[in-house]
Structures are given as structure tokens and as C-alpha cells.
């Protein structure tokens, strides 16, 4: 900011609130409002998601007597509603932070994410045969991989802005990014958490592309990471079994193919208009993870093809609006983090729906704003807050 547009140093002490606002407006340093279409789309999808958690989970919560829910059919819904409301507050809080602060914290966020991923190996909480969670004071659990996704966006954006024209070289535009992705992948493989690995590799590739990596090095790096990911997945028995189930779920319909078959039955039963909200049959202990990774199958069963397409259309509009914000961002760093957070959202939606419809091999990828999970929802909404923060800094033409 040049000296002519810099607000006086003493306005915070000598002026009242109204005078400070007028002084900041005159100096051109006052932030604008958040992008209302983006904000309302997030709230709409979040509201539908919380309702669908209630519809999808009440059967399994009711039959879970003596365990997590104590037979309370609204257990998962109430927890998700609390995290949703507090998550909106977090999103609004993050939206008030300047993008310059995200830039200063970029490398710190990556260091914290790597430290927590390492700590999972020592103090991780077991679930489903994997150690992916850290207990938060015995109240809830937290997946460091969720933080790592956002940290990759922030850190890579900072690295890209520092490399500038050097992004066209292998030494600066490929090697440091691939090495960092390799360290994260190694830590995730020890949990193991292959779905998070796929997402982080994917968002890393997106950020490198947005940063201007040379197409030849970029294609080579992309091919190498894809080959490495496939080889790594084949080394884990459960991943190999999932690949087999994906190719032919009827080969073992009561075993590894059960979840895929029940998901397809749910989607097919929905037809054009669905069986009605709350009327799903597959959620009655037929479809595993019905309120989590496979909640979109219940959406398709209850709301039908039309309802599923409408929800995906809302996601598509939100994603397009996020990229619009990125294209109009004030700085390159702001544009990169807005595009990165939006790309992360798009990637998770695509992968989740691809798995539920058996377009892709089954992995534990949640559907943003819909799948049950409190701390994951917090981080998803915080990422949306980053995009809203970028939108607040878009230059606005003032009348006169």
C-alpha cells in the first residue's frame, strides 16, 4: 500500500468507531462483504446434509443399544447439528482474517500437520483396524489428515508465490513439491489411510498445475505419483481386496462385494423421484457407513435421481463460484488458496460420488457437508471461510 493510501497511524487511538470506518474507506483499506452467493450455497448444502444425517442414521443409532449411541435414534443428528452450528461460526471467524495472515502461517500449518501425522503413529486411536485419529480430551476424535489437506493448499500456494518463474524448472517447480507429498504419503501409509493419500496427492497435483509447473515435468510427476500410488495400494491386503470387489462385486456378494451391491441397490431403488425422505430401506443395517461415506446412496434412494442431480448441481454451482472468487482475487496467493480450497472440495465430491456409484474403487472418502464427522466438518467449513476471506478482499468499485 502506498503512503498516499495508507491510513494515519493514530486513527485507531484518536478517532471513534464511525470515524475509523470513514477513514479506512477513504484510504481504501476497508474489507468488503463476504461473497453472499458462495456463503448461502454453503449454508444450503450444510442444512440439507444435516437433515440427511438424521434420515440416514436414526436406524443404526437406534439399534446401537449399549454402545456409542445408547439406542438414541437422534444421537448422530444432534452431534452433527452442534458441529454444523459451531462450524458456521468458525467459517465466519476465518472469513474475517486477512489472507496475509494465512500466508504467514502457511509453513507453520504444514509443520503442525506433519507433527500430528507423526503423533498418530504413537498415540493414535484405533478404528476399523486403522490408526487415523487423535483423541481430543476424550470428548471427540480428530483426523490430522484433514488438517494436512488444507495445509497442502496453504503451503503449496506460498511456495509457488516464492518460486515465481522458477516453477517452470524441475528443481523448483516439481522436486520440492513431490518430496513433501512423498513424506506425507509415507506417514499416511503407516496408519494406513489410503483415501487421504489419494486426496492429498490429487490436490498437490492441482496446486502444481495452477502454479504453472512445466507441462512436461508436470506430466512426468503426475504419472510417477499415479504409478507409485497404485503400487503402494497393492501392498495393502485391504486395498487389494477393494480393487477386486470394484471389478466384480458379485464375486463375493456376502463379503467384500456387500457394500458396493447394497449401495447400488439403494441408488437403483430410488428411481426418478425417490422413495421419500426418511423412507430408505437400505439404511436398516443393510448398507454399511450409511450416514458417513455412503450417505449419497441414501440421498439417491430417498430423493431419487432428480434429488441427487439437484444436490450435485448445488455443489457444481458452489465450485464454479469458488473459482470465480479465485479469478477475481486481489493477489496471486489469495487466488491460489481460493482455487486450492475449491479444488479440494471438488475433488472430494467427485471421488465420493464415484465410489458410491462404483465408478471408482471403494475408499473411505467422505462427502463434504453431508457425511457424519464433527472435526472434519469444522475443517471443511474453515476451508470455506478461507475462500470467503479471499472474497472480502476483492476490490469493489465505490460510487463516486
Amino acid at each position: 500500500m502506498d503512503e498516499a493510501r495508507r491510513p494515519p497511524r493514530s486513527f485507531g487511538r484518536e478517532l471513534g468507531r464511525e470515524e475509523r470506518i470513514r477513514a479506512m474507506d477513504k484510504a481504501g483499506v476497508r474489507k468488503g462483504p463476504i461473497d453472499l452467493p458462495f456463503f448461502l450455497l454453503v449454508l444450503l448444502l450444510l442444512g440439507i446434509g444435516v437433515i440427511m444425517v438424521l434420515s440416514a442414521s436414526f436406524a443404526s443409532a437406534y439399534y446401537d443399544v449399549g454402545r456409542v449411541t445408547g439406542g438414541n435414534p437422534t444421537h448422530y443428528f444432534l452431534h452433527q447439528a452442534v458441529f454444523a452450528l459451531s462450524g458456521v461460526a468458525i467459517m465466519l471467524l476465518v472469513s474475517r482474517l486477512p489472507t496475509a495472515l494465512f500466508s504467514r502461517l502457511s509453513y507453520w500449518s504444514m509443520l503442525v500437520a506433519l507433527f500430528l501425522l507423526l503423533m498418530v503413529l504413537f498415540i493414535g486411536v484405533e478404528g476399523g483396524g486403522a490408526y487415523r485419529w487423535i483423541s481430543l480430551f476424550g470428548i471427540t476424535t480428530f483426523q490430522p489428515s484433514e488438517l494436512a489437506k488444507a495445509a497442502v493448499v496453504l503451503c503449496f500456494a506460498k511456495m509457488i508465490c516464492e518460486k515465481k518463474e522458477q516453477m517452470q524448472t524441475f528443481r523448483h517447480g516439481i522436486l520440492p513439491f513431490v518430496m513433501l507429498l512423498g513424506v506425507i504419503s509415507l506417514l499416511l501409509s503407516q496408519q494406513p489411510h489410503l483415501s487421504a493419500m489419494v486426496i492429498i496427492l490429487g490436490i498437490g497435483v492441482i496446486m502444481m498445475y495452477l502454479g504453472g509447473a512445466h507441462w512436461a515435468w508436470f506430466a512426468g510427476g503426475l504419472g510417477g505419483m499415479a504409478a507409485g500410488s497404485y503400487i503402494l495400494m497393492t501392498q495393502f491386503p485391504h486395498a487389494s481386496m477393494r480393487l477386486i470387489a470394484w471389478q466384480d462385486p458379485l464375486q463375493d456378494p456376502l463379503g467384500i462385494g456387500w457394500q458396493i451391491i447394497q449401495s447400488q441397490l439403494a441408488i437403483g431403488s430410488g428411481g426418478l423421484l425417490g422413495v421419500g425422505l426418511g423412507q430408505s430401506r437400505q439404511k436398516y443395517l443393510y448398507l454399511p457407513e450409511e450416514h458417513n461415506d455412503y450417505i449419497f446412496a441414501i440421498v439417491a434412494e430417498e430423493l431419487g435421481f432428480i434429488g441427487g442431480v439437484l444436490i450435485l448441481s448445488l455443489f457444481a454451482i458452489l465450485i464454479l463460484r469458488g473459482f470465480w472468487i479465485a479469478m477475481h482475487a486481489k493477489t496471486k496467493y489469495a487466488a491460489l488458496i481460493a482455487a486450492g480450497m475449491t479444488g479440494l472440495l471438488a475433488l472430494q465430491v467427485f471421488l465420493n460420488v464415484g465410489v458410491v456409484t462404483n465408478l471408482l474403487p471403494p475408499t473411505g472418502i467422505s462427502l463434504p457437508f453431508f457425511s457424519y464427522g464433527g472435526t472434519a466438518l469444522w475443517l471443511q467449513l474453515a476451508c470455506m471461510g478461507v475462500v470467503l476471506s479471499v472474497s472480502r478482499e476483492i476490490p469493489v468499485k465505490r460510487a463516486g
Side-chain angles (χ1 to χ4, degrees):
M1 185 185 300
D2 55 38
E3 291 297 326
R5 295 177 61 82
R6 190 184 302 276
R9 294 183 179 179
S10 60
F11 74 77
R13 297 189 300 269
E14 299 175 1
L15 302 179
R17 180 177 181 275
E18 295 298 326
E19 288 79 5
R20 288 201 306 271
I21 292 175
R22 284 195 293 269
M24 293 177 74
D25 279 336
K26 185 177 180 180
V29 298
R30 187 184 178 196
K31 281 190 173 185
I34 60 175
D35 187 80
L36 192 58
F38 189 90
F39 177 65
L40 292 178
L41 282 167
V42 171
L43 290 186
L44 180 58
L45 284 166
L46 180 63
I48 297 173
V50 172
I51 292 172
M52 289 310 305
V53 167
L54 171 62
S55 178
S57 68
F58 76 81
S60 59
Y62 176 78
Y63 288 111
D64 193 24
V65 179
R67 296 180 63 194
V68 176
T69 69
N72 179 6
T74 62
H75 173 86
Y76 295 116
F77 163 72
L78 293 175
H79 278 69
Q80 190 77 346
V82 170
F83 278 103
L85 291 173
S86 53
V88 171
I90 292 173
M91 177 174 63
L92 291 173
L93 176 62
V94 173
S95 73
R96 303 287 299 182
L97 302 176
T99 55
L101 178 61
F102 300 137
S103 178
R104 290 195 294 269
L105 296 178
S106 294
Y107 292 141
W108 285 106
S109 68
M110 179 56 69
L111 289 174
V112 171
L114 291 173
F115 174 74
L116 292 177
L117 287 174
L118 182 62
M119 292 305 296
V120 169
L121 306 181
F122 300 98
I123 60 172
V125 177
E126 190 271 340
Y131 291 84
R132 305 171 182 173
W133 298 266
I134 291 178
S135 177
L136 295 179
F137 311 108
I139 300 174
T140 186
T141 56
F142 166 70
Q143 276 191 329
S145 59
E146 295 293 331
L147 176 61
K149 297 172 187 176
V152 166
V153 173
L154 297 176
C155 182
F156 276 30
K158 180 73 170 180
M159 293 169 63
I160 290 168
C161 290
E162 291 179 346
K163 302 300 180 183
K164 298 180 180 178
E165 294 79 8
Q166 294 178 316
M167 283 296 297
Q168 291 287 310
T169 65
F170 176 80
R171 179 180 178 182
H172 298 284
I174 297 294
L175 186 59
F177 299 93
V178 172
M179 290 178 63
L180 188 53
L181 290 174
V183 172
I184 296 173
S185 297
L186 179 62
L187 291 172
L188 289 172
S189 68
Q190 301 304 305
Q191 297 183 10
H193 198 177
L194 301 183
S195 58
M197 188 190 308
V198 170
I199 292 174
I200 287 175
L201 289 175
I203 193 58
V205 168
I206 290 173
M207 294 300 295
M208 291 162 62
Y209 174 78
L210 294 174
H214 192 277
W215 69 268
W217 296 121
F218 176 78
L222 179 61
M225 285 190 291
S229 299
Y230 180 79
I231 293 173
L232 187 60
M233 288 182 67
T234 58
Q235 302 305 308
F236 293 93
H238 73 283
S240 300
M241 298 297 286
R242 287 179 176 180
L243 289 173
I244 295 173
W246 171 59
Q247 294 170 348
D248 183 13
L250 293 176
Q251 182 177 351
D252 186 10
L254 298 179
I256 59 175
W258 174 265
Q259 191 170 36
I260 296 175
I261 294 172
Q262 297 304 315
S263 177
Q264 292 180 325
L265 285 173
I267 296 172
S269 300
L272 184 64
L273 299 176
V275 298
L277 183 63
Q279 302 302 312
S280 165
R281 293 181 288 271
Q282 296 304 116
K283 66 186 177 186
Y284 286 95
L285 308 187
Y286 290 103
L287 175 63
E289 302 293 333
E290 76 291 335
H291 61 289
N292 201 332
D293 299 340
Y294 277 75
I295 193 171
F296 188 75
I298 304 301
V299 170
E301 183 183 9
E302 296 190 346
L303 305 183
F305 175 80
I306 292 178
V309 168
L310 286 175
I311 288 174
L312 291 180
S313 298
L314 290 175
F315 273 116
I317 297 171
L318 177 66
I319 291 164
L320 289 174
R321 189 65 184 181
F323 284 123
W324 182 92
I325 292 171
M327 291 173 62
H328 292 80
K330 187 177 181 180
T331 64
K332 181 177 181 179
Y333 178 81
L336 285 170
I337 60 174
M341 295 302 182
T342 303
L344 176 60
L345 171 69
L347 185 62
Q348 290 201 193
V349 172
F350 171 75
L351 291 176
N352 177 269
V353 175
V355 167
V356 170
T357 57
N358 204 35
L359 176 66
L360 300 172
T363 55
I365 296 175
S366 61
L367 182 63
F369 314 137
F370 279 72
S371 295
Y372 177 78
T375 53
L377 183 60
W378 274 354
L379 283 166
Q380 290 163 8
L381 291 171
C383 290
M384 297 301 98
V386 171
V387 180
L388 289 173
S389 174
V390 174
S391 74
R392 285 171 55 83
E393 295 183 357
I394 295 176
V396 179
K397 293 182 179 180
R398 293 185 174 90

